[in-house]
Amino acid sequence: MMKKETFISASLALMVLSGCRQEVEKPNILFLLVDDMQSAAIAALGNKGIYTPNIDGLIEEGVTFTRTYTNGALCGALSMPSRAMLLTGRGVFEIQSDGMKIPKDHITLPEHLRASGYRTFGTGKWHSDKASFNRSFAEGENIFFGGMHRYEENGHCSPRLRHYDVTGAYEGEAFVGDKFSSEMFADAAINFLKSTREDKNPFMAFVSFTSPHDPRNQLPDYGKKYTAAEMALPANFLPEHPFDNGELSIRDELLLPPPRTAEQVKGELALYYGMVSEVDVQIGRVLEALEATGERDNTIIVFASDNGLAMGQNGLLGKQNLYDHSVGVPMLIVNPHAVRKGEKTEALCYLYDIYPTLCELVGLDIPESVTGRSLKHVMEGTADKHREDIFLAYSNQQRGLVKDGYKYIIYNVEGKITEQLFDLKSDSGELVNLAADDPEKTAGYRILLSQRMKENRDFCSLDNPLWWKDGRKLTWDELINLYIFEK
């Protein structure tokens, strides 16, 4: 009779010889993130005036979530909280210091993957603290710590970058890149992908472009170029916003001060589209490098933007508002093992729902610090809906809600209350305000928004002066009525 120990050894040997593994090989993740990109600036999503073949190809392969939103921001630099939310899987009132710092107990997606055996690499924009970058990534190159490339420093043409510092200190001056920012980030990603060919561990590559964020004053010598004459004016173009939304004097709006002419906006759009097309070229280079590794069929690809941009729509130029062109974002996920490909869904979701989705797709537990909700059921076609509504916030002056095809926005600017109600199905440009025409529906959205503000602990910081009046801390209802609903 064969001894028990001998039988076990023989069984293990047989498993090895037959190629069996105790664990299923985990898929890699390639995360492609762009900056300030409208959902409307993609050919495959209906814009016939722009050239985006590589992003279009990803849309053909994956599931595109056409009603994806960033939760908002309490500051003008939307990318900072938006990226922090995406990386931590948490909402705008659940992150710290509007994303400027990611605390240790908010486990980032790459940090979680790294702890689970993934080889993690980061390049490009990191709009949070350096310590959280090094917790997240074991490797990196051409790292940009900041919000945007400065006009006075030659913008994207001379990006101030960092090599990976294992100590996390990143002391001294940044070096000046000798190529356009997108090409520098793509180069770093390509070199990393080449190094994975002999690596048995799964990888996560986070490629965080700064394009098409301005400066738009210089375009690289590659990619399609556009002229103002060939630009189509947005259908919801307005020379200026119809009322003071509280942010008409912010930097983004002053790049082209209102009232703006059609010719001015077309000129800006030509430059903006040029940057969209140039970053599409670099995305194509990264995808080619992934193909060369032989791992394309085992790599989940995510493409998204941190926020959108108005570019002349609704009389605005920047993103400091709650219209869909600014808080709505392009987002798609390519799962190489999925049956459904090239599909689009209008399921309401947040950018920060990506984190738990990827955890489920690669078979990892979702950390307790994550409050986002996985989209896996939508991707698999077992559900058409994901969230019942979307709560939106900007600064202390704008709040919004998306539900049942309508969007409600309320403004409190220097004590003046303004309400908007849009039918997004018949008025995607958000031009026809129905708030006064349907007071009953408007009141219903106002009440629901109040509930969402409470649930999201809107303005719960103890040092926020809005919490106090006449030396007394206000109740939730008093706070909300005083802040936004009292007329």
Side-chain angles (χ1 to χ4, degrees):
M1 180 180 293
M2 184 181 291
K3 292 183 179 180
K4 184 177 181 181
E5 292 82 357
T6 305
F7 176 76
I8 293 174
S9 298
S11 299
L12 287 172
L14 182 61
M15 288 175 66
V16 171
L17 289 172
S18 63
C20 295
R21 296 183 181 181
Q22 289 178 304
E23 293 186 10
V24 178
E25 184 180 2
K26 292 190 181 300
N28 310 302
I29 297 173
L30 172 61
F31 204 124
L32 302 167
L33 185 63
V34 293
D35 201 339
D36 278 14
M37 184 168 170
Q38 302 172 340
S39 297
I42 298 174
L45 295 183
N47 189 334
K48 301 308 178 185
I50 197 165
Y51 186 67
T52 52
N54 294 297
I55 299 172
D56 294 348
L58 292 176
I59 289 173
E60 291 177 3
E61 291 182 58
V63 175
T64 301
F65 296 84
T66 61
R67 305 298 294 181
T68 305
Y69 291 86
T70 180
N71 197 189
L74 304 182
C75 68
L78 269 72
S79 66
M80 186 167 65
S82 182
R83 288 165 182 257
M85 285 185 274
L86 184 155
L87 287 159
T88 61
R90 299 169 67 86
V92 69
F93 291 103
E94 298 172 320
I95 57 175
Q96 182 173 303
S97 60
D98 225 17
M100 186 178 297
K101 179 180 180 181
I102 300 177
K104 290 183 179 180
D105 57 342
H106 295 178
I107 301 169
T108 70
L109 172 63
E111 183 180 10
H112 182 48
L113 293 167
R114 182 180 182 180
S116 304
Y118 274 73
R119 184 180 170 189
T120 57
F121 169 85
T123 185
K125 178 172 175 175
W126 188 261
H127 209 174
S128 292
D129 58 301
K130 298 177 177 67
S132 60
F133 183 90
N134 273 45
R135 289 200 308 273
S136 300
F137 302 107
E139 302 170 62
E141 184 54 272
N142 294 350
I143 307 158
F144 174 61
F145 290 113
M148 63 176 284
H149 306 293
R150 297 179 181 180
Y151 282 85
E152 61 270 24
E153 294 179 344
N154 204 27
H156 290 269
C157 296
S158 302
R160 269 57 178 173
L161 308 175
R162 299 278 185 171
H163 301 299
Y164 186 80
D165 180 355
V166 292
T167 70
Y170 296 97
E171 296 177 344
E173 293 292 323
F175 72 90
V176 180
D178 57 359
K179 299 178 183 177
F180 202 80
S181 66
S182 302
E183 191 171 0
M184 295 291 295
F185 305 145
D187 284 351
I190 290 166
N191 288 334
F192 169 76
L193 290 171
K194 288 178 180 178
S195 74
T196 66
R197 292 178 182 175
E198 306 301 324
D199 200 323
K200 301 299 182 183
N201 293 325
F203 64 80
M204 190 270 197
F206 185 69
V207 188
S208 179
F209 295 100
T210 46
S211 192
H213 194 298
D214 69 294
R216 292 184 286 270
N217 53 344
Q218 287 180 274
L219 295 177
D221 58 2
Y222 58 83
K224 180 176 170 56
K225 304 297 187 293
Y226 304 81
T227 64
E230 66 185 303
M231 291 293 98
L233 201 65
N236 56 349
F237 163 76
L238 293 174
E240 55 189 331
H241 197 258
F243 58 88
D244 186 0
N245 69 357
E247 288 288 32
L248 298 183
S249 299
I250 200 164
R251 186 202 75 92
D252 285 20
E253 296 300 330
L254 297 179
L255 291 174
L256 192 63
R260 304 172 184 108
T261 67
E263 290 72 23
Q264 287 176 318
V265 169
K266 286 182 178 181
E268 284 296 307
L269 278 172
L271 294 172
Y272 180 68
Y273 280 18
M275 293 192 70
V276 170
S277 290
E278 71 83 10
V279 79
D280 183 84
V281 169
Q282 299 306 327
I283 287 171
R285 292 183 61 223
V286 175
L287 294 175
E288 287 178 4
L290 175 62
E291 189 76 41
T293 66
E295 288 290 321
R296 179 73 181 259
D297 292 338
N298 191 42
T299 300
I300 296 168
I301 303 172
V302 180
F303 170 80
S305 179
D306 51 9
N307 48 258
L309 201 62
M311 294 303 295
Q313 299 180 76
N314 299 102
L316 300 169
L317 199 66
K319 65 253 186 183
Q320 293 81 10
N321 62 83
L322 299 184
Y323 294 112
D324 267 18
H325 47 66
S326 294
V327 289
V329 295
M331 194 273 278
L332 66 89
I333 301 176
V334 177
N335 181 2
H337 305 303
V339 176
R340 303 177 78 210
K341 295 181 184 296
E343 298 199 13
K344 300 178 181 68
T345 172
E346 293 187 350
L348 295 175
C349 62
Y350 290 117
L351 265 179
Y352 67 85
D353 289 332
I354 294 174
Y355 187 153
T357 304
L358 291 177
C359 287
E360 287 206 335
L361 290 178
V362 303
L364 295 181
D365 292 335
I366 300 170
E368 291 184 4
S369 60
V370 172
T371 61
R373 304 175 189 175
S374 172
L375 292 157
K376 185 171 180 283
H377 60 296
V378 179
M379 295 183 67
E380 293 176 343
T382 58
D384 293 325
K385 286 191 172 183
H386 180 61
R387 291 180 179 271
E388 289 297 318
D389 53 72
I390 292 290
F391 167 63
L392 301 168
Y394 178 70
S395 74
N396 63 345
Q397 299 169 316
Q398 304 176 26
R399 293 293 179 272
L401 193 74
V402 179
K403 181 178 173 63
D404 296 334
Y406 284 84
K407 181 190 282 183
Y408 171 76
I409 308 175
I410 190 165
Y411 304 78
N412 184 347
V413 180
E414 296 183 355
K416 181 180 180 180
I417 303 295
T418 305
E419 292 178 291
Q420 293 175 315
L421 183 68
F422 300 110
D423 183 343
L424 296 177
K425 293 180 181 177
S426 63
D427 178 29
S428 60
E430 298 168 279
L431 287 173
V432 183
N433 184 6
L434 304 173
D437 298 333
D438 197 339
E440 185 176 347
K441 184 182 287 289
T442 301
Y445 275 84
R446 189 187 309 130
I447 292 169
L448 181 57
L449 177 60
S450 175
Q451 294 175 6
R452 294 294 179 259
M453 289 174 71
K454 292 180 184 180
E455 293 165 2
N456 284 273
R457 299 190 62 77
D458 195 340
F459 288 107
C460 64
S461 174
L462 290 177
D463 60 359
N464 194 309
L466 289 173
W467 265 98
W468 299 85
K469 185 179 182 181
D470 300 329
R472 180 178 66 84
K473 184 179 177 182
L474 300 172
T475 66
W476 274 112
D477 288 334
E478 287 175 325
L479 172 67
I480 292 172
N481 285 333
L482 179 68
Y483 159 60
I484 206 164
F485 294 122
E486 194 173 78
K487 295 189 177 182

